[in-house]
Coordinates of all heavy atoms in Angstrom, one line a residue:
M18 N -0.2 29.2 -55.9 CA -1.4 29.9 -55.6 C -1.0 31.4 -55.8 O -0.1 31.9 -55.2 CB -1.8 29.6 -54.2 CG -3.2 30.1 -53.9 SD -4.5 29.1 -54.8 CE -4.3 27.5 -54.0
A19 N -1.9 32.1 -56.6 CA -1.7 33.5 -56.7 C -1.8 34.2 -55.3 O -2.6 33.8 -54.5 CB -2.8 34.1 -57.7
K20 N -1.0 35.3 -55.2 CA -1.0 35.9 -53.8 C -2.2 36.7 -53.4 O -2.4 37.0 -52.3 CB 0.3 36.6 -53.6 CG 0.5 37.8 -54.7 CD 1.8 38.5 -54.4 CE 2.1 39.5 -55.4 NZ 2.3 38.9 -56.8
D21 N -3.0 37.1 -54.4 CA -4.2 37.8 -54.0 C -5.4 36.9 -53.9 O -6.6 37.4 -53.7 CB -4.5 38.9 -55.1 CG -4.5 38.4 -56.5 OD1 -4.2 37.2 -56.7 OD2 -4.9 39.1 -57.4
V22 N -5.2 35.7 -53.9 CA -6.3 34.7 -53.6 C -6.5 34.6 -52.1 O -5.5 34.3 -51.4 CB -6.1 33.3 -54.2 CG1 -7.1 32.3 -53.8 CG2 -6.1 33.4 -55.8
E23 N -7.7 34.7 -51.6 CA -8.0 34.6 -50.3 C -8.8 33.3 -50.1 O -9.6 33.0 -51.0 CB -8.8 35.7 -49.7 CG -8.1 37.0 -49.6 CD -8.9 38.0 -48.9 OE1 -10.1 38.3 -49.3 OE2 -8.5 38.6 -47.9
I24 N -8.6 32.6 -49.0 CA -9.3 31.4 -48.7 C -10.1 31.6 -47.5 O -9.6 31.9 -46.4 CB -8.4 30.2 -48.4 CG1 -7.6 29.9 -49.7 CG2 -9.2 28.9 -48.1 CD1 -6.6 28.8 -49.6
K25 N -11.5 31.7 -47.7 CA -12.4 32.0 -46.6 C -13.6 31.2 -46.7 O -14.0 30.8 -47.8 CB -12.8 33.5 -46.6 CG -11.8 34.5 -46.1 CD -12.4 35.9 -46.2 CE -11.3 36.9 -45.7 NZ -11.9 38.2 -45.7
C26 N -14.2 30.9 -45.5 CA -15.5 30.2 -45.5 C -16.5 31.0 -46.2 O -16.8 32.2 -45.9 CB -15.9 29.9 -44.1 SG -17.5 29.2 -43.9
P27 N -17.2 30.4 -47.2 CA -18.3 31.1 -47.9 C -19.5 31.4 -47.0 O -20.3 32.3 -47.3 CB -18.8 30.1 -49.0 CG -17.8 29.0 -49.0 CD -17.1 29.0 -47.7
K28 N -19.6 30.8 -45.9 CA -20.8 31.0 -45.0 C -20.5 32.0 -43.9 O -21.4 32.8 -43.6 CB -21.2 29.7 -44.3 CG -21.5 28.5 -45.4 CD -22.9 28.5 -45.7 CE -23.2 27.5 -46.9 NZ -22.7 26.3 -46.9
C29 N -19.3 32.0 -43.4 CA -19.0 32.9 -42.2 C -17.8 33.7 -42.3 O -17.5 34.5 -41.4 CB -19.0 32.0 -40.9 SG -17.4 31.1 -40.7
D30 N -17.1 33.6 -43.4 CA -15.9 34.4 -43.6 C -14.8 34.0 -42.7 O -13.8 34.9 -42.6 CB -16.2 35.9 -43.6 CG -16.8 36.5 -44.9 OD1 -16.7 35.7 -45.9 OD2 -17.2 37.6 -44.9
W31 N -14.8 32.9 -42.1 CA -13.6 32.5 -41.3 C -12.5 32.3 -42.3 O -12.6 31.7 -43.3 CB -13.9 31.2 -40.6 CG -12.7 30.6 -39.9 CD1 -12.2 31.1 -38.7 CD2 -11.8 29.6 -40.5 NE1 -11.0 30.4 -38.4 CE2 -10.7 29.5 -39.4 CE3 -11.7 28.9 -41.6 CZ2 -9.6 28.6 -39.6 CZ3 -10.6 28.0 -41.8 CH2 -9.6 27.9 -40.7
A32 N -11.3 33.0 -42.0 CA -10.2 32.9 -42.9 C -9.3 31.8 -42.6 O -9.0 31.6 -41.5 CB -9.4 34.2 -42.9
H33 N -8.9 31.1 -43.7 CA -7.9 30.0 -43.5 C -6.6 30.5 -43.0 O -6.1 31.5 -43.4 CB -7.7 29.4 -45.0 CG -6.6 28.4 -45.0 ND1 -5.5 28.5 -45.9 CD2 -6.5 27.2 -44.4 CE1 -4.8 27.4 -45.7 NE2 -5.3 26.6 -44.9
D34 N -6.1 29.8 -41.9 CA -5.0 30.2 -41.1 C -3.7 29.4 -41.3 O -2.8 29.6 -40.7 CB -5.3 30.4 -39.7 CG -5.8 29.1 -39.0 OD1 -5.7 28.0 -39.7 OD2 -6.1 29.1 -37.8
G35 N -3.8 28.4 -42.2 CA -2.7 27.6 -42.5 C -2.6 26.4 -41.5 O -1.6 25.6 -41.6
G36 N -3.6 26.3 -40.6 CA -3.5 25.2 -39.7 C -4.0 23.9 -40.2 O -4.7 23.8 -41.2
E37 N -3.7 22.8 -39.5 CA -4.2 21.5 -39.9 C -5.5 21.2 -39.2 O -5.5 20.6 -38.1 CB -3.1 20.5 -39.5 CG -1.9 20.6 -40.4 CD -0.8 19.6 -40.1 OE1 -0.9 18.9 -39.1 OE2 0.1 19.5 -40.9
H38 N -6.5 21.7 -39.8 CA -7.9 21.7 -39.1 C -8.8 20.6 -39.6 O -10.0 20.5 -39.2 CB -8.6 23.0 -39.2 CG -7.8 24.2 -38.6 ND1 -7.4 24.1 -37.2 CD2 -7.4 25.3 -39.0 CE1 -6.7 25.3 -37.0 NE2 -6.7 26.0 -38.0
W39 N -8.4 19.8 -40.6 CA -9.3 18.9 -41.3 C -9.0 17.5 -41.1 O -7.7 17.1 -41.1 CB -9.4 19.3 -42.8 CG -10.0 20.6 -43.0 CD1 -11.3 20.9 -43.2 CD2 -9.4 21.9 -43.1 NE1 -11.6 22.2 -43.3 CE2 -10.4 22.8 -43.2 CE3 -8.1 22.3 -42.8 CZ2 -10.1 24.2 -43.2 CZ3 -7.8 23.7 -42.9 CH2 -8.8 24.6 -43.1
W40 N -10.0 16.7 -40.8 CA -9.8 15.2 -40.6 C -10.4 14.5 -41.8 O -11.5 14.7 -42.2 CB -10.4 14.8 -39.4 CG -9.6 15.1 -38.1 CD1 -8.7 14.2 -37.5 CD2 -9.6 16.2 -37.3 NE1 -8.1 14.9 -36.4 CE2 -8.7 16.1 -36.3 CE3 -10.3 17.5 -37.4 CZ2 -8.5 17.1 -35.4 CZ3 -10.1 18.4 -36.5 CH2 -9.2 18.2 -35.5
C41 N -9.7 13.6 -42.3 CA -10.2 12.7 -43.3 C -10.9 11.5 -42.6 O -10.7 11.3 -41.4 CB -9.1 12.2 -44.2 SG -9.7 11.0 -45.6
E42 N -11.8 10.8 -43.4 CA -12.4 9.6 -42.8 C -11.5 8.5 -42.4 O -11.8 7.6 -41.7 CB -13.6 9.2 -43.7 CG -13.1 8.7 -45.1 CD -14.2 8.6 -46.0 OE1 -15.3 9.0 -45.7 OE2 -14.0 7.9 -47.0
C43 N -10.2 8.6 -43.1 CA -9.2 7.6 -42.7 C -8.5 7.9 -41.4 O -7.6 7.2 -40.9 CB -8.2 7.5 -43.9 SG -7.1 8.9 -44.0
G44 N -8.8 9.1 -40.8 CA -8.2 9.5 -39.5 C -7.0 10.4 -39.7 O -6.5 11.0 -38.8
H45 N -6.7 10.7 -40.9 CA -5.5 11.6 -41.2 C -6.0 13.1 -41.0 O -7.0 13.4 -41.3 CB -5.0 11.5 -42.6 CG -3.7 12.2 -42.9 ND1 -2.5 11.9 -42.3 CD2 -3.5 13.3 -43.6 CE1 -1.6 12.7 -42.8 NE2 -2.2 13.6 -43.5
R46 N -5.1 13.8 -40.4 CA -5.3 15.3 -40.2 C -4.3 16.1 -41.0 O -3.1 15.8 -41.0 CB -5.1 15.6 -38.7 CG -5.4 17.0 -38.3 CD -5.2 17.3 -36.9 NE -5.6 18.7 -36.6 CZ -5.6 19.2 -35.3 NH1 -5.2 18.4 -34.3 NH2 -5.9 20.4 -35.1
W47 N -4.9 17.1 -41.7 CA -4.0 17.9 -42.5 C -4.6 19.2 -43.0 O -5.8 19.4 -42.6 CB -3.6 17.0 -43.7 CG -4.5 17.2 -45.0 CD1 -4.2 17.7 -46.2 CD2 -5.8 16.6 -45.1 NE1 -5.3 17.6 -47.0 CE2 -6.2 16.9 -46.4 CE3 -6.6 15.9 -44.3 CZ2 -7.5 16.5 -46.9 CZ3 -7.9 15.6 -44.7 CH2 -8.4 15.8 -46.0
D48 N -3.9 20.1 -43.6 CA -4.4 21.3 -44.2 C -5.0 21.1 -45.5 O -4.2 20.9 -46.5 CB -3.3 22.4 -44.2 CG -3.8 23.7 -44.8 OD1 -5.0 23.7 -45.2 OD2 -3.0 24.6 -45.0
T49 N -6.3 21.0 -45.7 CA -6.9 20.6 -46.9 C -6.6 21.5 -48.1 O -6.6 21.1 -49.3 CB -8.4 20.4 -46.7 OG1 -9.0 19.7 -47.9 CG2 -9.2 21.7 -46.5
F50 N -6.2 22.8 -47.8 CA -5.9 23.7 -48.8 C -4.5 23.6 -49.4 O -4.2 24.3 -50.3 CB -6.3 25.1 -48.4 CG -7.8 25.3 -48.1 CD1 -8.2 25.3 -46.8 CD2 -8.7 25.5 -49.2 CE1 -9.6 25.4 -46.6 CE2 -10.0 25.7 -49.0 CZ -10.5 25.6 -47.7
E51 N -3.8 22.8 -48.7 CA -2.4 22.5 -49.3 C -2.5 21.5 -50.4 O -1.5 21.5 -51.2 CB -1.5 21.9 -48.1 CG -1.1 22.8 -47.0 CD 0.2 23.6 -47.3 OE1 1.2 22.8 -47.6 OE2 0.2 24.8 -47.4
T52 N -3.5 20.8 -50.4 CA -3.5 19.6 -51.4 C -4.8 19.7 -52.3 O -5.2 18.7 -52.9 CB -3.6 18.3 -50.6 OG1 -4.8 18.3 -49.8 CG2 -2.4 18.1 -49.8
A53 N -5.5 20.9 -52.4 CA -6.7 21.0 -53.2 C -7.8 19.9 -52.7 O -8.5 19.3 -53.5 CB -6.5 21.0 -54.7
A54 N -7.8 19.8 -51.4 CA -8.8 18.9 -50.7 C -8.6 17.4 -51.0 O -9.6 16.6 -50.9 CB -10.3 19.3 -51.2
R55 N -7.4 17.0 -51.3 CA -7.1 15.6 -51.4 C -6.4 15.1 -50.2 O -5.3 15.7 -49.9 CB -6.2 15.3 -52.7 CG -6.2 13.9 -53.0 CD -5.4 13.7 -54.3 NE -5.6 12.4 -54.9 CZ -4.8 11.8 -55.7 NH1 -3.8 12.4 -56.3 NH2 -5.1 10.6 -56.1
C56 N -6.9 14.1 -49.6 CA -6.2 13.5 -48.4 C -4.8 12.9 -48.8 O -4.8 12.1 -49.8 CB -7.0 12.4 -47.8 SG -6.1 11.6 -46.5
P57 N -3.7 13.4 -48.2 CA -2.4 12.9 -48.6 C -2.1 11.4 -48.1 O -1.2 10.8 -48.6 CB -1.5 13.9 -47.9 CG -2.2 14.6 -46.9 CD -3.7 14.4 -47.2
N58 N -3.0 11.0 -47.3 CA -2.8 9.6 -46.7 C -3.5 8.6 -47.5 O -2.8 7.6 -48.1 CB -3.3 9.6 -45.3 CG -2.9 8.3 -44.6 OD1 -1.9 7.8 -44.6 ND2 -3.9 7.6 -44.0
C59 N -4.9 8.7 -47.7 CA -5.6 7.7 -48.5 C -5.9 8.2 -49.9 O -6.5 7.3 -50.5 CB -6.9 7.3 -47.6 SG -8.1 8.6 -47.7
K60 N -5.6 9.4 -50.2 CA -5.8 9.9 -51.6 C -7.3 10.2 -51.9 O -7.6 10.3 -53.1 CB -5.2 9.0 -52.6 CG -3.8 8.5 -52.4 CD -2.9 9.6 -52.3 CE -1.4 9.2 -52.2 NZ -0.5 10.1 -51.5
K61 N -8.1 10.2 -50.9 CA -9.5 10.5 -51.1 C -9.6 12.0 -51.6 O -9.0 12.9 -51.0 CB -10.3 10.3 -49.9 CG -11.8 10.7 -50.1 CD -12.7 10.5 -48.8 CE -14.0 11.0 -49.0 NZ -14.9 10.4 -49.9
Q62 N -10.4 12.2 -52.6 CA -10.5 13.6 -53.1 C -11.8 14.1 -52.6 O -12.9 13.6 -52.9 CB -10.7 13.6 -54.7 CG -10.8 15.0 -55.2 CD -9.7 15.9 -54.9 OE1 -8.6 15.7 -55.3 NE2 -10.0 17.1 -54.2
W63 N -11.8 15.2 -51.7 CA -12.9 15.8 -51.1 C -13.4 16.9 -52.0 O -12.7 17.8 -52.4 CB -12.6 16.3 -49.8 CG -12.4 15.1 -48.8 CD1 -11.1 14.5 -48.6 CD2 -13.3 14.6 -47.9 NE1 -11.3 13.5 -47.7 CE2 -12.6 13.5 -47.3 CE3 -14.7 14.7 -47.6 CZ2 -13.2 12.7 -46.2 CZ3 -15.3 13.9 -46.7 CH2 -14.6 12.8 -46.0
E64 N -14.7 16.8 -52.3 CA -15.4 17.9 -53.1 C -16.0 19.0 -52.2 O -16.3 20.1 -52.7 CB -16.3 17.4 -54.1 CG -15.7 16.5 -55.1 CD -16.7 15.9 -56.1 OE1 -17.9 16.2 -56.0 OE2 -16.2 15.1 -57.0
V65 N -16.1 18.7 -51.0 CA -16.6 19.7 -50.0 C -15.7 19.9 -48.9 O -14.9 19.0 -48.6 CB -18.0 19.2 -49.5 CG1 -19.2 19.2 -50.6 CG2 -17.9 17.9 -48.7
T66 N -15.8 21.0 -48.2 CA -14.9 21.3 -47.1 C -15.7 21.9 -46.0 O -16.4 22.8 -46.2 CB -13.8 22.3 -47.5 OG1 -13.0 21.7 -48.5 CG2 -12.9 22.7 -46.4
Q67 N -15.5 21.3 -44.8 CA -16.2 21.9 -43.6 C -15.4 22.9 -43.0 O -14.3 22.9 -43.0 CB -16.4 20.7 -42.6 CG -17.2 21.2 -41.4 CD -17.5 20.1 -40.5 OE1 -16.9 19.0 -40.4 NE2 -18.7 20.2 -39.7
C68 N -16.1 24.0 -42.5 CA -15.6 25.1 -41.9 C -15.2 24.6 -40.4 O -16.0 24.2 -39.7 CB -16.5 26.2 -41.7 SG -15.9 27.7 -41.1
P69 N -13.9 24.6 -40.1 CA -13.5 24.1 -38.7 C -14.0 24.9 -37.6 O -13.8 26.1 -37.6 CB -12.0 24.0 -38.8 CG -11.6 25.0 -39.8 CD -12.8 25.2 -40.8
T70 N -14.5 24.3 -36.6 CA -15.1 25.0 -35.4 C -14.0 25.4 -34.4 O -14.1 26.3 -33.7 CB -16.2 24.2 -34.8 OG1 -15.8 22.9 -34.5 CG2 -17.4 24.1 -35.7
D71 N -12.9 24.5 -34.3 CA -12.0 24.7 -33.3 C -11.3 26.1 -33.3 O -11.2 26.7 -32.4 CB -10.8 23.6 -33.4 CG -11.3 22.3 -32.6 OD1 -12.4 22.4 -32.1 OD2 -10.5 21.4 -32.7
P72 N -10.9 26.5 -34.6 CA -10.3 27.9 -34.7 C -11.3 29.0 -34.8 O -10.9 30.1 -35.1 CB -9.4 27.8 -35.9 CG -10.1 26.7 -36.7 CD -10.7 25.8 -35.9
G73 N -12.6 28.7 -34.7 CA -13.6 29.7 -34.7 C -14.4 29.7 -35.8 O -15.3 30.7 -36.1
G74 N -14.5 28.7 -36.7 CA -15.3 28.6 -37.8 C -16.8 28.2 -37.4 O -17.0 27.9 -36.3
C75 N -17.7 28.1 -38.5 CA -19.0 27.9 -38.2 C -19.5 26.4 -38.3 O -20.6 26.1 -37.9 CB -19.9 28.8 -39.2 SG -19.7 28.2 -40.9
G76 N -18.6 25.5 -38.9 CA -19.0 24.2 -38.9 C -19.8 23.8 -40.1 O -20.2 22.6 -40.3
E77 N -20.1 24.7 -41.0 CA -21.0 24.5 -42.2 C -20.1 23.9 -43.3 O -18.9 24.0 -43.4 CB -21.5 25.7 -42.7 CG -22.6 26.4 -41.8 CD -23.8 25.6 -41.7 OE1 -24.3 25.0 -42.7 OE2 -24.3 25.4 -40.6
I78 N -20.7 23.0 -44.1 CA -20.0 22.4 -45.2 C -20.3 23.2 -46.5 O -21.5 23.3 -46.8 CB -20.5 20.9 -45.3 CG1 -19.9 20.2 -44.1 CG2 -19.9 20.3 -46.5 CD1 -20.6 18.8 -43.8
S79 N -19.3 23.4 -47.3 CA -19.4 24.1 -48.5 C -18.5 23.4 -49.6 O -17.6 22.8 -49.3 CB -18.9 25.5 -48.5 OG -19.5 26.2 -47.4
P80 N -18.9 23.6 -50.9 CA -18.0 23.1 -52.0 C -16.6 23.6 -51.8 O -16.5 24.8 -51.5 CB -18.7 23.6 -53.2 CG -20.1 23.8 -52.9 CD -20.2 24.2 -51.4
H81 N -15.7 22.8 -52.0 CA -14.2 23.2 -51.8 C -13.9 24.5 -52.5 O -13.3 25.4 -52.1 CB -13.3 22.1 -52.2 CG -11.9 22.4 -51.8 ND1 -11.4 22.4 -50.6 CD2 -10.8 22.7 -52.7 CE1 -10.0 22.7 -50.6 NE2 -9.7 23.0 -51.8
L82 N -14.3 24.5 -53.8 CA -14.0 25.7 -54.7 C -14.6 27.0 -54.2 O -14.2 28.1 -54.5 CB -14.5 25.4 -56.2 CG -13.6 24.4 -56.9 CD1 -14.2 24.1 -58.2 CD2 -12.2 25.0 -57.1
D83 N -15.8 26.9 -53.5 CA -16.4 28.1 -53.0 C -15.5 28.9 -51.9 O -15.8 30.0 -51.6 CB -17.8 27.8 -52.5 CG -18.8 27.5 -53.5 OD1 -18.4 27.6 -54.6 OD2 -19.9 27.2 -53.1
W84 N -14.5 28.2 -51.4 CA -13.7 28.8 -50.5 C -12.6 29.8 -50.9 O -12.1 30.6 -50.3 CB -12.8 27.7 -49.6 CG -13.7 26.9 -48.7 CD1 -14.7 26.1 -48.9 CD2 -13.6 27.1 -47.2 NE1 -15.2 25.6 -47.7 CE2 -14.5 26.2 -46.6 CE3 -12.8 27.9 -46.4 CZ2 -14.7 26.1 -45.3 CZ3 -12.9 27.7 -45.0 CH2 -13.8 26.9 -44.5
Y85 N -12.4 29.7 -52.3 CA -11.4 30.6 -52.9 C -12.0 31.9 -53.3 O -12.9 31.9 -54.1 CB -10.7 29.8 -54.0 CG -10.0 28.6 -53.7 CD1 -10.6 27.4 -53.7 CD2 -8.6 28.6 -53.3 CE1 -10.0 26.2 -53.3 CE2 -7.9 27.4 -53.0 CZ -8.6 26.3 -53.0 OH -7.9 25.1 -52.6
R86 N -11.4 32.9 -52.8 CA -11.9 34.3 -53.2 C -10.8 34.9 -54.2 O -9.6 34.8 -53.9 CB -12.1 35.2 -52.0 CG -12.9 34.6 -51.0 CD -14.3 34.6 -51.3 NE -15.1 34.0 -50.2 CZ -15.6 34.7 -49.1 NH1 -15.3 35.9 -49.0 NH2 -16.2 34.1 -48.1
G87 N -11.3 35.5 -55.2 CA -10.4 36.3 -56.1 C -9.6 35.3 -57.0 O -8.5 35.6 -57.5
L88 N -10.2 34.2 -57.2 CA -9.5 33.1 -58.0 C -9.5 33.5 -59.5 O -10.6 33.9 -60.0 CB -10.2 31.7 -57.8 CG -9.5 30.5 -58.1 CD1 -8.2 30.4 -57.2 CD2 -10.5 29.3 -57.8
D89 N -8.3 33.4 -60.1 CA -8.3 33.6 -61.6 C -9.1 32.5 -62.3 O -9.2 31.4 -61.8 CB -6.9 33.5 -62.1 CG -6.1 34.7 -61.7 OD1 -6.7 35.8 -61.4 OD2 -4.9 34.6 -61.7
D90 N -9.7 32.9 -63.4 CA -10.5 32.0 -64.1 C -9.8 30.7 -64.5 O -10.2 29.6 -64.4 CB -11.1 32.6 -65.4 CG -12.2 33.5 -65.1 OD1 -12.7 33.5 -64.0 OD2 -12.6 34.3 -66.0
W91 N -8.5 30.8 -65.0 CA -7.7 29.7 -65.4 C -7.4 28.8 -64.2 O -7.4 27.5 -64.3 CB -6.4 30.1 -66.0 CG -5.4 30.8 -65.1 CD1 -5.3 32.1 -64.9 CD2 -4.5 30.1 -64.4 NE1 -4.3 32.3 -64.0 CE2 -3.8 31.1 -63.7 CE3 -4.1 28.8 -64.1 CZ2 -2.7 30.9 -62.7 CZ3 -3.1 28.5 -63.2 CH2 -2.4 29.5 -62.6
L92 N -7.2 29.4 -63.0 CA -6.9 28.7 -61.8 C -8.1 27.9 -61.4 O -8.0 26.7 -60.9 CB -6.4 29.6 -60.7 CG -5.7 28.9 -59.5 CD1 -4.7 28.0 -60.0 CD2 -5.2 30.0 -58.6
R93 N -9.2 28.5 -61.5 CA -10.5 27.8 -61.0 C -10.8 26.7 -61.9 O -11.1 25.6 -61.5 CB -11.7 28.8 -61.1 CG -13.1 28.2 -60.9 CD -14.1 29.1 -60.8 NE -14.2 29.8 -59.4 CZ -15.0 29.3 -58.5 NH1 -15.7 28.2 -58.7 NH2 -15.0 29.8 -57.3
E94 N -10.6 26.8 -63.3 CA -10.7 25.8 -64.2 C -9.7 24.6 -63.9 O -10.1 23.4 -64.0 CB -10.5 26.2 -65.7 CG -11.7 27.0 -66.2 CD -11.5 27.7 -67.5 OE1 -10.4 27.4 -68.2 OE2 -12.2 28.7 -67.8
E95 N -8.5 25.0 -63.5 CA -7.6 24.0 -63.2 C -7.9 23.2 -61.9 O -7.8 22.0 -61.9 CB -6.1 24.7 -63.0 CG -5.0 23.7 -62.8 CD -4.6 23.1 -64.1 OE1 -5.1 23.4 -65.2 OE2 -3.7 22.2 -64.0
L96 N -8.5 23.9 -61.0 CA -8.9 23.2 -59.8 C -10.1 22.3 -60.0 O -10.1 21.2 -59.5 CB -9.2 24.2 -58.8 CG -8.0 24.8 -57.9 CD1 -8.5 26.0 -57.1 CD2 -7.4 23.8 -57.0
E97 N -11.0 22.8 -60.9 CA -12.1 22.0 -61.2 C -11.7 20.7 -61.9 O -12.3 19.6 -61.7 CB -13.2 22.8 -62.0 CG -13.9 23.8 -61.3 CD -14.8 24.7 -62.1 OE1 -14.7 24.6 -63.4 OE2 -15.6 25.5 -61.5
R98 N -10.7 20.8 -62.8 CA -10.2 19.8 -63.6 C -9.6 18.7 -62.6 O -9.9 17.5 -62.6 CB -9.2 20.2 -64.6 CG -8.9 19.1 -65.6 CD -7.8 19.7 -66.5 NE -6.6 20.1 -65.8 CZ -5.7 19.2 -65.3 NH1 -5.8 17.9 -65.4 NH2 -4.6 19.6 -64.7
I99 N -8.8 19.2 -61.6 CA -8.2 18.3 -60.6 C -9.3 17.7 -59.8 O -9.2 16.4 -59.7 CB -7.3 19.2 -59.7 CG1 -6.1 19.7 -60.4 CG2 -6.9 18.4 -58.5 CD1 -5.3 20.7 -59.7
L100 N -10.3 18.4 -59.4 CA -11.3 17.8 -58.5 C -12.1 16.8 -59.4 O -12.6 15.7 -58.8 CB -12.2 18.9 -58.0 CG -11.7 19.8 -57.0 CD1 -12.7 21.0 -56.7 CD2 -11.3 19.1 -55.8
Q101 N -12.3 17.0 -60.7 CA -13.1 16.0 -61.4 C -12.4 14.8 -61.9 O -13.0 13.7 -62.1 CB -13.7 16.8 -62.6 CG -14.9 17.7 -62.2 CD -15.3 18.7 -63.2 OE1 -14.8 18.6 -64.4 NE2 -16.2 19.6 -63.0
T102 N -11.1 14.9 -62.0 CA -10.3 13.8 -62.6 C -9.9 12.9 -61.5 O -9.5 11.7 -61.8 CB -9.1 14.3 -63.4 OG1 -8.4 15.1 -62.6 CG2 -9.6 15.0 -64.7
Q103 N -9.9 13.3 -60.3 CA -9.4 12.3 -59.2 C -10.6 11.4 -58.9 O -11.7 11.9 -58.7 CB -9.1 13.1 -57.9 CG -8.1 14.2 -58.1 CD -6.7 13.6 -58.3 OE1 -6.4 12.5 -58.2 NE2 -5.7 14.5 -58.7
P104 N -10.3 10.1 -58.9 CA -11.3 9.2 -58.6 C -11.8 9.3 -57.1 O -10.9 9.3 -56.3 CB -10.7 7.7 -58.9 CG -9.3 8.0 -58.8 CD -9.0 9.5 -59.2
A105 N -13.0 9.4 -56.9 CA -13.5 9.5 -55.5 C -13.7 8.1 -55.1 O -14.6 7.3 -55.5 CB -14.9 10.3 -55.5
E106 N -12.8 7.7 -54.2 CA -12.8 6.4 -53.6 C -14.0 6.1 -52.7 O -14.2 6.9 -51.7 CB -11.6 6.1 -52.8 CG -10.3 6.1 -53.7 CD -10.1 4.9 -54.5 OE1 -10.2 3.7 -53.9 OE2 -9.9 4.9 -55.7
Ligands
ZN221 ZN1 -7.7 10.0 -45.9
ZN222 ZN1 -17.7 29.1 -41.7

């Protein structure tokens, strides 16, 4: 990840803090931005990401890609390709 990319909620600007704030429907808890929104346990590819309320977020759901600020075009395309090629179980 390029170092000038920021990860923030598109709705409230809550900044990603590296914590494991996301739960998959399989019950797994992890940092969704570590894996481009793919659950490491059941391999489900999430296209949306909820803003976590525990660390102070707003709880709104946004497309995963909208969370990245300052993303290079090639990196955005790469992420889009990843998100589109993973089968959504
Ligand atoms: Zn899962
Ligand atoms: Zn938010």
Side-chain angles (χ1 to χ4, degrees):
M18 194 72 65
K20 55 182 175 299
D21 53 352
V22 173
E23 289 186 308
I24 299 175
K25 287 184 176 179
C26 173
K28 305 265 169 46
C29 74
D30 276 351
W31 175 81
H33 175 234
D34 61 3
E37 296 180 342
H38 300 305
W39 291 270
W40 281 267
C41 182
E42 61 193 15
C43 72
H45 187 71
R46 182 180 182 177
W47 86 113
D48 175 2
T49 192
F50 294 100
E51 289 272 303
T52 60
R55 191 179 197 197
C56 174
N58 185 51
C59 72
K60 312 302 185 202
K61 177 179 170 67
Q62 179 66 57
W63 291 85
E64 294 180 2
V65 294
T66 295
Q67 184 174 23
C68 187
T70 53
D71 278 356
C75 66
E77 294 291 317
I78 294 171
S79 306
H81 185 73
L82 284 174
D83 285 359
W84 282 72
Y85 297 89
R86 310 283 180 88
L88 203 58
D89 289 339
D90 285 347
W91 70 267
L92 191 53
R93 172 170 280 268
E94 282 169 18
E95 188 71 7
L96 278 167
E97 283 174 354
R98 192 182 59 76
I99 291 169
L100 290 174
Q101 282 164 9
T102 52
Q103 305 288 354
E106 298 278 313

